[in-house]
Amino acid sequence: MDKPHIFITRKLPDEIIDPYRQYFQIEMWPEEEEPVDKATLQSKASKADAVLTMLTEKLDASLFANAGKLKVVANLAVGYDNIDLDAAREHQVTVTNTPDVLTDTTADLTFGLLMATARRIVEGEQYIKNGNWNHWSPLLMAGRDIHHKTIGIVGMGRIGETVAKRTMGFDMNILYHNRSRKPEAEEKFGATYTSFEHLLEASDYVVCLAPLTKETQKMFGKQAFEKMKSDAIFINASRGGLVDEQALYDALEDGQIKAAGLDVFENEPISAEHPLLKLPQVVCLPHIGSASRETRVKMMELALDNIKEVLEGNEPITPVS
Ligand code: NAP
């Protein structure tokens, strides 16, 4: 009998893929950096039993409608806003993601971004490298404290909680907002549940870690930034779609908020000409929250194991609910 056919939408390392070749016929898009085009993805998905996708691919209703054999889509990310879940359900395709294995790594990066933004680490480095460091003054590159300040976490889930854990070493006061309360996080981290509006008003650092959904789309818009303190710092390590980037730019330009640290953008890759990138108080990264070598390997293996379970008729390890 023919082995089930998996299409992988990016070139992944052979040492990760090879052990799975005994079970599957595996075809990979040959590029490491360049994403697969939509037409090729549709055509490959129409013949595959499983597709392993990156968050750069949009899997819409037409893809599922034309993929008669497809049983499972394994997304190499915890977020799955790139996949039309209703269409997947309608066509009985299981969708899986890669939670947990990336939680600590993403929390590390989120807190690193907060520190870099607060203490002007990137600006300071550019200042030296541009040859501008020819004096010292008491307020040279003065940023703002992190310790003993208030952090407001919007989306106190796996990564949010792990960021909360990181902040305890900094004696921070923790506010959080979710749709539902998390008493165990309150007990573990001394976090206080509050409304979105109060969190915005009271936090020195507003950290966005909620998923991108219809409900959260552009939740950080003009009104949200107007509520924040004028010296507040905004960090987004979730998805760019939660932020109205024009409103963020205006808030930074008008001094409504102090600075921003961004790992994610509405359109990725963001153009180097984007006005946000011209602001010195913006620290930006190319969506590398979970990008440590160790974690990326674990994510790839979890995605492949999810496919294996489904194609062998078992429950997936980490289905998207
Ligand atoms: P998670 O455990 O599902 O946590 C998400 C949290 O957001 C939950 O506590 C949820 O609580 C809350 N939430 C959902 N809808 C909300 C709303 N409308 N308003 C307020 N809070 C809401 O997910 P996770 O593993 O921590 O990951 C969080 C997100 O981080 C992912 O969805 C992904 O987009 C992003 N991420 C980014 C990177 C990166 O590279 N930058 C890496 C990994 C993950 P309730 O259900 O109670 O509202």
Side-chain angles (χ1 to χ4, degrees):
M1 208 173 79
D2 283 349
K3 291 178 193 169
H5 178 196
I6 305 182
F7 178 65
I8 302 181
T9 63
R10 208 63 67 92
K11 167 104 184 75
L12 302 184
D14 288 334
E15 67 267 27
I16 308 290
I17 298 303
D18 284 347
Y20 293 86
R21 292 194 190 276
Q22 60 182 306
Y23 311 109
F24 310 118
Q25 186 199 330
I26 298 179
E27 187 184 2
M28 273 189 278
W29 177 244
E31 306 295 332
E32 243 169 72
E33 292 176 5
E34 202 52 41
V36 59
D37 59 276
K38 192 176 171 185
T40 305
L41 175 60
Q42 293 246 7
S43 147
K44 298 288 181 191
S46 72
K47 296 174 208 119
D49 297 281
V51 180
L52 196 162
T53 47
M54 314 295 127
L55 47 79
T56 41
E57 277 85 64
K58 301 270 173 270
L59 277 73
D60 58 16
S62 71
L63 181 139
F64 289 104
N66 293 303
K69 273 174 73 189
L70 190 62
K71 289 181 197 64
V72 51
V73 169
N75 209 34
L76 194 79
V78 65
Y80 43 85
D81 45 274
N82 55 318
I83 298 172
D84 185 333
L85 278 194
D86 292 335
R89 265 184 224 114
E90 191 188 325
H91 294 278
Q92 279 118 44
V93 177
T94 301
V95 177
T96 66
N97 63 348
T98 59
D100 304 316
V101 292
L102 50 59
T103 295
D104 276 303
T105 301
T106 308
D108 288 348
L109 193 279
T110 307
F111 203 70
L113 193 51
L114 183 154
M115 292 186 74
T117 312
R119 295 302 306 271
R120 304 175 66 180
I121 289 173
V122 178
E123 255 184 286
E125 196 219 35
Q126 284 169 352
Y127 181 78
I128 296 185
K129 287 189 175 170
N130 291 341
N132 296 327
W133 192 24
N134 45 32
H135 71 285
W136 183 91
S137 69
L139 288 175
L140 175 66
M141 285 287 154
R144 63 171 322 197
D145 278 331
I146 299 164
H147 64 87
H148 297 98
K149 298 287 185 189
T150 295
I151 184 169
I153 300 174
V154 178
M156 184 69 114
R158 288 169 290 241
I159 301 170
E161 276 200 39
T162 311
V163 169
K165 191 168 155 196
R166 306 280 183 274
T167 70
M168 292 178 80
F170 289 76
D171 298 310
M172 295 181 90
N173 173 38
I174 307 168
L175 301 177
Y176 78 99
H177 176 71
N178 270 4
R179 289 167 305 176
S180 52
R181 267 181 94 144
K182 288 193 109 179
E184 57 309 338
E186 294 174 25
E187 202 167 306
K188 260 195 275 178
F189 310 115
T192 304
Y193 182 73
T194 189
S195 67
F196 182 52
E197 286 70 26
H198 179 251
L199 180 148
L200 297 174
E201 285 161 8
S203 301
D204 301 302
Y205 297 93
V206 174
V207 178
C208 170
L209 282 165
L212 175 59
T213 61
K214 281 186 192 122
E215 209 181 336
T216 61
Q217 198 156 30
K218 292 206 166 59
M219 76 189 283
F220 292 93
K222 187 172 186 295
Q223 284 183 340
F225 293 120
E226 276 171 2
K227 286 200 168 60
M228 290 187 202
K229 294 181 179 185
S230 59
D231 58 357
I233 290 180
F234 175 67
I235 305 296
N236 187 11
S238 170
R239 287 287 181 269
L242 281 94
V243 177
D244 178 338
E245 287 178 351
Q246 182 62 51
L248 173 60
Y249 176 83
D250 293 342
L252 289 160
E253 266 290 81
D254 300 347
Q256 265 163 20
I257 68 168
K258 184 87 180 164
L262 308 170
D263 183 42
V264 286
F265 301 90
E266 199 172 351
N267 294 307
E268 296 180 359
I270 189 170
S271 155
E273 300 311 313
H274 194 290
L276 267 176
L277 307 193
K278 308 289 177 201
L279 299 177
Q281 70 273 43
V282 171
V283 176
C284 46
L285 294 172
H287 201 147
I288 54 168
S290 64
S292 71
R293 171 90 198 164
E294 301 92 312
T295 290
R296 284 288 157 88
V297 168
K298 286 182 195 153
M299 290 165 67
M300 291 173 204
E301 288 173 345
L302 177 55
L304 287 158
D305 289 341
N306 268 313
I307 289 176
K308 185 167 180 291
E309 291 302 327
V310 174
L311 294 186
E312 288 177 351
N314 303 320
E315 287 301 311
I317 305 159
T318 51
V320 166
S321 52

